Amino acid sequence: VPAKFNGALRFVTSAPYAPFEFYDDKGALTGIDIDVSRAVAAKMGVAATFENAQFDGIIPGIQAQKYDVIAASMGDTEEREKVLNFINYRTLGNVVVVPASDKSINDLVDLCGRTVTRQSGDVFAMFIDKVQPRCQSAGKPEIAIKTLPDSNAALLAIKSGAADAQIVNLSAAESLIRAKENADLFRIVRPAHSPRGWRLSNGGFGVLKSEMELAKAIEAALKAAKAEGTLQAIADHYGNPSIVIDDVGINTPTSGEL
């Protein structure tokens, strides 16, 4: 770790965004990003402190040098790489959640002519827009989109039969399926060629573009944590076994293709 950090790194997160960062019943900050940050800091032999910030204030904050490392479930994009180096350790795709009893939906084109829920403000409307041309090509009606205020409302619509499916990222889907109240009610539809979902997005830690030495130190610590099984153990603990990236690396954005 570069000497200027004086043996301590200031991590910034944006809780709550479970299971990556959230406050537990006792008010303690926890989650996948938080546990991985602590494991990485321990490997690097430095202390870790955490600040919580609004998501859209994080990049300006690190540019103003209020923080050293972003640990806020931030996806690696070419746009963000203009100002940040990403050290990626997780990858997530989009999947479809359907009632366990509905065996007719097994691929994206099976959603044509059906009602799909999404959460207000999420990115999945763009994803559905990319699927619509496949419906036209297959001579099927378009997907009907039902926008609801939150994920719970979307699930209730499926439970009640008001909707057929919900599109969410893999992490959210795995968490939903594991919730006690949803036992055996839903199943996850994903592509055969990509068990993590469609349109994979890599993510992990972000540091300033100028801090390549720090990025490389974090990368080495993450690779060691992955090799000894720590990353997988953390992912498993939070019910997200599929999210650990195959190869930890710096600045590995995904194409965003279906």
Side-chain angles (χ1 to χ4, degrees), residues 230-252:
T230 303
L231 293 188
Q232 191 60 56
I234 291 169
D236 290 349
H237 175 74
Y238 289 98
N240 278 250
S242 313
I243 66 163
V244 178
I245 204 165
D246 294 332
D247 297 299
V248 168
I250 296 175
N251 297 336
T252 50

Side-chain angles (χ1 to χ4, degrees), residues 10-146:
R10 299 168 300 166
F11 289 86
V12 59
T13 192
S14 189
Y17 187 69
F20 292 95
E21 37 269 340
F22 60 98
Y23 291 97
D24 67 15
D25 300 341
K26 299 187 177 110
L29 190 60
T30 188
I32 295 171
D33 282 333
I34 309 306
D35 286 8
V36 173
S37 299
R38 288 181 175 132
V40 162
K43 279 254 173 276
M44 294 164 75
V46 297
T49 59
F50 293 90
E51 290 254 354
N52 199 32
Q54 288 286 80
F55 191 78
D56 57 9
I58 285 178
I59 291 177
I62 200 170
Q63 287 176 311
Q65 302 193 325
K66 288 186 192 171
Y67 325 116
D68 304 315
V69 185
I70 298 169
S73 192
M74 190 175 280
D76 179 355
T77 65
E78 288 179 0
E79 187 62 32
R80 287 173 178 154
E81 276 186 23
K82 290 174 184 171
V83 293
L84 299 173
N85 285 317
F86 281 88
I87 311 95
N88 293 324
Y89 66 85
R90 60 102 180 134
T91 190
L92 290 173
N94 297 340
V95 296
V96 182
V97 174
V98 298
S101 56
D102 186 342
K103 305 292 189 236
S104 67
I105 298 174
N106 297 296
D107 196 4
L108 293 177
V109 287
D110 296 334
L111 297 173
C112 302
R114 311 292 285 270
T115 300
V116 174
T117 62
R118 58 173 284 268
Q119 192 174 327
S120 181
D122 68 19
V123 295
F124 300 115
M126 292 187 294
F127 177 72
I128 296 169
D129 286 345
K130 282 189 178 277
V131 182
Q132 298 287 26
R134 293 188 178 191
C135 298
Q136 290 159 351
S137 304
K140 294 183 172 188
E142 284 205 332
I143 299 167
I145 302 172
K146 196 181 190 89

